[in-house]
Amino acid sequence: MRAPDWLTARPVAHRGLHDISRGIVENMPGAVQAAISGNFAIEVDVQLSADGEAMVHHDHALGRLTEATGEVIAKTAAELKAVRFKDTDERMMSLADLCAMVAGRVPLVIEVKSHFGGDRKLVKRMAEVLASYDGPAVGMSFDPDQVLALRELLPNRPRGIVAQRSYEDEYWAKLTQEQRDSMLYLRHGFRTQPHFVAFKVDHLPAPAPWIARNVFGCALLGWTVRTPEQRSRVARYADQMIFEGFVP
């Protein structure tokens, strides 16, 4: 279940090599191009549009980075591509747009964002797009159902689990206790059979990722590295970092 060597060969730019102070916004073409120019792998997030397109955007709702508001899943791909972003004239990309732009020059680490409702439309669309993409790319998700979907719908692409020690903070409050428990300790790994684990760097070391790495041979990425202390931690306990806020 080991990931390919190219996944850990270079640092991974979190949502691209973005820098809002220079007008380079996360998950936008400028951030992607900056990462390519630096020869970094690129981590991006994908969300499902109302018409079934895989769109490159982190938040479920618009507003943090955009002038528009509303749920991403309530808007069509055309509507999302027309949304104006603060501090940039760039527009949201689809996964197909992203693949055309990167063209295999650096690896893509694609996080499937989930509403934890069991819907597989996003992974199905991802599979359609990547079927004609020859470049290095992997999929990953916090949601065990989506990791299983990656295993079943993209069997020839490496897949990973995004995880942390606990899920009791406010971000996860929308989930049931059963859903939160299902993500603990990488316990769905025997079912989803990941090739790698992306683990919260401040929660390293931890038993589950140690076992995944040292017993089952999974590659281990630490996210999101922003400080020298975190960089030292990931160098000690993981194989590579997902970083932002500096240039390694």
Side-chain angles (χ1 to χ4, degrees):
M1 290 192 287
R2 184 73 185 183
D5 290 342
W6 50 254
L7 178 62
T8 56
R10 65 191 98 184
V12 183
H14 187 235
R15 306 177 196 172
L17 197 62
H18 57 93
D19 183 350
I20 197 67
S21 68
R22 297 196 293 128
I24 303 174
V25 180
E26 65 180 53
N27 281 321
M28 291 284 105
V32 170
Q33 186 55 59
I36 294 171
S37 297
N39 197 32
F40 299 116
I42 303 169
E43 186 268 354
V44 296
D45 309 282
V46 291
Q47 298 269 0
L48 186 69
S49 70
D51 52 348
E53 188 56 86
M55 302 299 296
V56 180
H57 190 68
H58 177 269
D59 301 353
H60 291 307
L62 301 172
R64 178 173 64 91
L65 298 171
T66 65
E67 296 176 3
T69 58
E71 295 292 314
V72 171
I73 200 168
K75 298 182 182 296
T76 66
E79 289 172 332
L80 291 169
K81 288 185 178 186
V83 167
R84 295 189 62 85
F85 279 69
K86 303 169 187 176
D87 303 309
T88 182
D89 292 327
E90 295 184 310
R91 295 292 185 269
M92 193 183 301
M93 297 179 287
S94 68
L95 179 59
D97 295 333
L98 173 68
C99 289
M101 182 179 184
V102 176
R105 288 176 287 174
V106 297
L108 288 174
V109 180
I110 305 165
E111 181 178 346
V112 178
K113 306 303 288 187
S114 175
H115 293 272
F116 288 81
D119 191 334
R120 291 187 166 196
K121 293 188 184 72
L122 180 53
V123 174
K124 287 179 181 177
R125 178 55 183 154
M126 184 174 161
E128 292 171 354
V129 172
L130 293 182
S132 58
Y133 184 66
D134 293 330
V138 299
M140 63 182 188
S141 185
F142 276 101
D143 185 348
D145 289 340
Q146 299 304 318
V147 183
L148 183 60
L150 289 169
R151 178 188 173 193
E152 294 177 352
L153 299 175
L154 289 89
N156 297 321
R157 292 281 181 179
R159 61 191 165 272
I161 300 173
V162 192
Q164 55 193 61
R165 270 184 180 265
S166 65
Y167 301 90
E168 299 304 320
D169 55 87
E170 184 179 352
Y171 181 84
W172 301 102
K174 63 185 178 182
L175 301 185
T176 67
Q177 190 64 52
E178 182 180 3
Q179 287 174 317
R180 293 195 295 271
D181 289 347
S182 73
M183 297 186 289
L184 286 172
Y185 316 124
L186 309 179
R187 56 172 43 131
H188 61 86
F190 289 105
R191 180 165 54 99
T192 53
Q193 296 186 18
H195 300 86
F196 68 96
V197 174
F199 209 79
K200 189 171 184 176
V201 65
D202 289 337
H203 291 184
L204 291 171
W210 187 94
I211 291 170
R213 184 189 190 201
N214 293 285
V215 177
F216 294 102
C218 293
L220 180 59
L221 307 175
W223 61 268
T224 302
V225 173
R226 299 180 177 91
T227 68
E229 188 280 330
Q230 290 172 328
R231 192 170 184 179
S232 296
R233 184 182 294 266
V234 86
R236 182 175 181 181
Y237 297 114
D239 299 299
Q240 190 51 271
M241 64 179 172
I242 301 174
F243 74 95
E244 73 173 26
F246 67 98
V247 178

